[in-house]
Amino acid sequence: MEDERKNGAYGTPQKYDPTFKGPIYNRGCTDVICCVFLLLAIVGYVAVGIIAWTHGDPRKVIYPTDSRGEFCGQKGTKNENKPYLFYFNIVKCASPLVLLEFQCPTPQICVEKCPDRYLTYLNARSSRDFEYYKQFCVPGFKDNKGVAEVLRDGDCPAVLIPSKPLARRCFPAIHAHKGVLMVGNETTYEDGHGSRKNITDLVEGAKKANGVLEARQLAMRIFEDYTVSWYWIIIGLVIAMAMSLLFIILLRFLAGIMVWVMIIMVVLVLGYGIFHCYMEYSRLRGEAGSDVSLVDLGFQTDFRVYLHLRQTWLAFMIILSILEVIIILLLIFLRKRILIAIALIKEASRAVGYVMCSLLYPLVTFFLLCLCIAYWASTAVFLSTSNEAVYKIFDDSSCSLTAKTCNPETFPSSNESRLCPNARCQFAFYGGESGYHRALLGLQIFNAFMFFWLANFVLALGQVTLAGAFASYYWALRKPDDLPAFPLFSAFGRALRYHTGSLAFGALILAIVQIIRVILEYLDQRLKAAENKFAKCLMTCLKCCFWCLEKFIKFLNRNAYIMIAIYGTNFCTSARNAFFLLMRNIIRVAVLDKVTDFLFLLGKLLIVGSVGILAFFFFTHRIRIVQDTAPPLNYYWVPILTVIVGSYLIAHGFFSVYGMCVDTLFLCFLEDLERNDGSAERPYFMSSTLKKLLNKTNKKAAES
């Protein structure tokens, strides 16, 4: 390996250049074709959004609509006094995907109230309940047909099931009353086509539907918790931001001490977590019901139930113990490398100190990502609500117009009705037969692809901007006197002016891999019901390969962007040069770069763990001073998890600046070693701290 590096298998090392003083200012535009493609794609993306907003109606997600596309309970319409939606055949609504879109392939009508009794059309027609039954038939229904014709034409449902309104939709109350469905597995009903259907299918379909609607009710309770705890969540996030900023500032002056304090605190926080789990596990010993297993309990919407099980705390204790052992073992084996990495962190702290505005740049990235997410989500909602109710002509005879689309309002007086007297215009499905409706799936894929492309472009812009600023610091011979004014803004301007195409190129490659991973996940969900072991094995291998490929591309892109920020070369050249530079110094990469990533991870865990423990004690009313201040909640884990996730994102935002600074300084450090030799004629640009780091690594290499 060493011989290959010396013989130039990974490119030729950089030569000494007396004119090189850091990021090149005299540069030209790179990867212009990709820039043009990105602009055209954005124009197309805007066009897709406009088309979706024209055809879509997000009210379909919130408010129920009948088969004619009319909203139930909407003021000023004939359905104003009919707020609930009734499904003729609930079995067809069993798919969770259908329920999320609230578009079941069965006739739907708006009703004043949901059914409260079990009736079949055949029995109701010859009883006093027929007037009650008719309110669940299509509007304008007239009792001038036979039973088979009514059920065939879809004028009335074949059966009524006692139902409860949930989210303004009628769903069977399977467990509402004991004995409501007094039927066994063999009880059947006539479906109007001469066939017999097992009532078990109806029960299973209703259970699945109620399961999805219970999840929706869970979401409403979570929303209620957010409404009473949002300000406390914000306070928790502000505390996380203050801790992150304080940590960064202390690193500037006390890097060595702070790193060791961070390591010790992480070990202590995990140790306390293990101790707390053990105490809860011991406290529940002997309590009634505490020995029930998680498998027997199953899924519960009230997660507090799990905290009364000993097995839950045992699982938490095992997970934390494994994490604690892994961290301690890594610290033992990496103790010497940690000492070397601290020197690199000290230098990064100085660079961040001279470019303090870099700590605020993650806010710009966050704002741009929010725009991307908002546009993608709104476009996806409008696209998913663009479907329309499709009606087709049905006829038992050999009518040539059968299966053609029709309009139920104009069909009785149309030529089609006269040509086929026995034909009927009946609801078929939700969708559409226009070119737009046939292209909806492709538009959704394009929407997801553009989201990945633009989000990766925003992240790439941030990486190039920060790399340009920190590279300006490193290549300043007299720090900070030779540091240019406003290095961050200068780097941002260079990135947008000259390298939009290169950033688009790198983001495009990553977006293609990510959209392939999404498609593989979709196919994997579709194949779960299949018993083809070869297909499952192949899908698992593909998912693993593309996951590894995505990680490698992210690593390559990150270092390529640093080279773009310094030299202004195109994406392919920058990626090749960065990869070869790292391969020529693979030992130093393993010793320094990845150890700093591990230390930053510990810093994130320290901040997240500290804020998470504080949130746990506050929202569970265990802090006596503010015991009465904490709001009452349905699920106290909602604000706790929100604070933990938000704290991680905040800490990641601050430490990402540090991480980019370390990576940039490290690549510049390797370039400096190849360009210069430390003599008076070819002096190193590195600081005295990095010179000590160089001496330590050389000494370590000589000893080994």
Side-chain angles (χ1 to χ4, degrees), residues 40 115 129 210 237 259 334 342 362 457 464 471 497 536 578 593 608 611 631 647 653 658 673 685 696:
L40 292 177
D129 293 325
N210 280 335
L237 297 180
V259 168
L334 298 177
I342 288 175
F457 178 84
V464 170
R497 181 179 178 182
K536 291 182 179 180
D593 194 42
V608 172
V611 177
S647 300
Y658 250 86
L673 292 179
F685 282 81
K696 287 184 179 181

Side-chain angles (χ1 to χ4, degrees), residues 30 36 53 112 123 235 283 328 361 376 450 496 532 577 645 672:
T30 56
V36 174
W53 298 336
E112 294 182 9
N123 293 333
I235 292 175
R283 183 180 63 83
I328 291 176
Y361 189 83
W376 163 78
M450 285 302 301
L496 281 182
N532 192 328
N577 292 340
V645 174
D672 197 8

